[in-house]
Amino acid sequence: MALPLLSFGAGAADGFAYLVLGGIFTANMTGNAVLATMYGRPDYPSILIGALTAIAAFAIALVVGFRTARAGHSGAARKALIVSAICHAAVVLMWWCSTRSGPVVLCLIAASAAAMAFQTVAAKRDGVDHGATTTYATGTLTDLLKDLVDGQVNWCSIRWLSLFALPAGAALSVAVARTWPDVTPLIPLIATVACIRLISPEAL
């Protein structure tokens, strides 16, 4: 259940970021690449800066994560998830304690994107099936259908659950934001901490 749970958290993180951090995604970097080119939108400079900040933070965190959580090392995925949880906790603290000015919003975007990157590292380490990821739904769907056509998996693959969990997390994030906005950044943190507790120290 680790992968669907993390997908749920990724959807919640994207929902939170898009709603309150200037229409930016922190898990979906493809979406940010598209947003960065939509120069006709109102407040485009802020959107561009936010999208580029998310992409840069995600990329840097991926490099750091893959270097420190080497495949085959004991507990590599769990270590990456712990760092992801720390980044999520930083988002919660900044959201609760800051003035949410422009620079703070960029820090929130960067921290959330880094959390998603370390989560992606965790999902790619320690023997996770090919095509199983928690932040890239298009790639997961493509690889899943390819494997189904090739007869490598069946229709009961857990990757289907991961695909449905991501929009479910986003929907919950939107619903919570309408009533208890300060609770919203807690959702991906809770999902990540719950996943850390579910998995063994050796594997995801």
Side-chain angles (χ1 to χ4, degrees):
M1 290 299 293
L3 289 173
L5 186 58
L6 290 176
S7 291
F8 182 87
D14 257 351
F16 168 74
Y18 191 84
L19 285 174
V20 301
L21 299 182
I24 300 301
F25 300 108
T26 55
N28 180 8
M29 294 304 115
T30 305
N32 285 331
V34 174
L35 288 174
T37 66
M38 299 180 68
Y39 53 85
R41 292 184 61 183
D43 201 23
Y44 172 70
S46 296
I47 294 172
L48 175 62
I49 293 172
L52 293 179
T53 297
I55 293 171
F58 193 91
I60 292 169
L62 278 183
V63 172
V64 173
F66 281 125
R67 283 185 175 274
T68 56
R70 296 285 186 178
H73 288 197
S74 176
R78 195 169 191 267
K79 292 172 185 176
L81 285 180
I82 290 172
V83 178
S84 178
I86 292 170
C87 292
H88 281 308
V91 171
V92 172
L93 290 176
M94 282 190 286
W95 182 252
W96 285 354
C97 302
S98 72
T99 59
R100 302 173 192 173
S101 60
V104 173
V105 169
L106 291 179
C107 289
L108 285 163
I109 291 171
S112 182
M116 291 294 96
F118 280 105
Q119 175 176 307
T120 302
V121 170
K124 288 294 186 182
R125 290 306 196 202
D126 289 344
V128 176
D129 291 339
H130 173 69
T133 184
T134 58
T135 58
Y136 182 39
T138 304
T140 300
L141 178 62
T142 301
D143 287 332
L144 177 55
L145 292 177
K146 171 186 172 294
D147 290 346
L148 282 169
V149 170
D150 293 342
Q152 296 175 0
V153 299
N154 57 40
W155 287 96
C156 296
S157 172
I158 196 173
R159 282 184 272 172
W160 286 114
L161 192 53
S162 292
L163 284 173
F164 290 116
L166 194 143
L172 178 62
S173 183
V174 172
V176 171
R178 291 176 178 271
T179 309
W180 305 292
D182 285 345
V183 176
T184 313
L186 280 172
I187 300 173
L189 173 60
I190 292 171
T192 305
V193 171
C195 188
I196 292 170
R197 293 182 64 86
L198 282 174
I199 65 176
S200 70
E202 288 78 24
L204 182 61

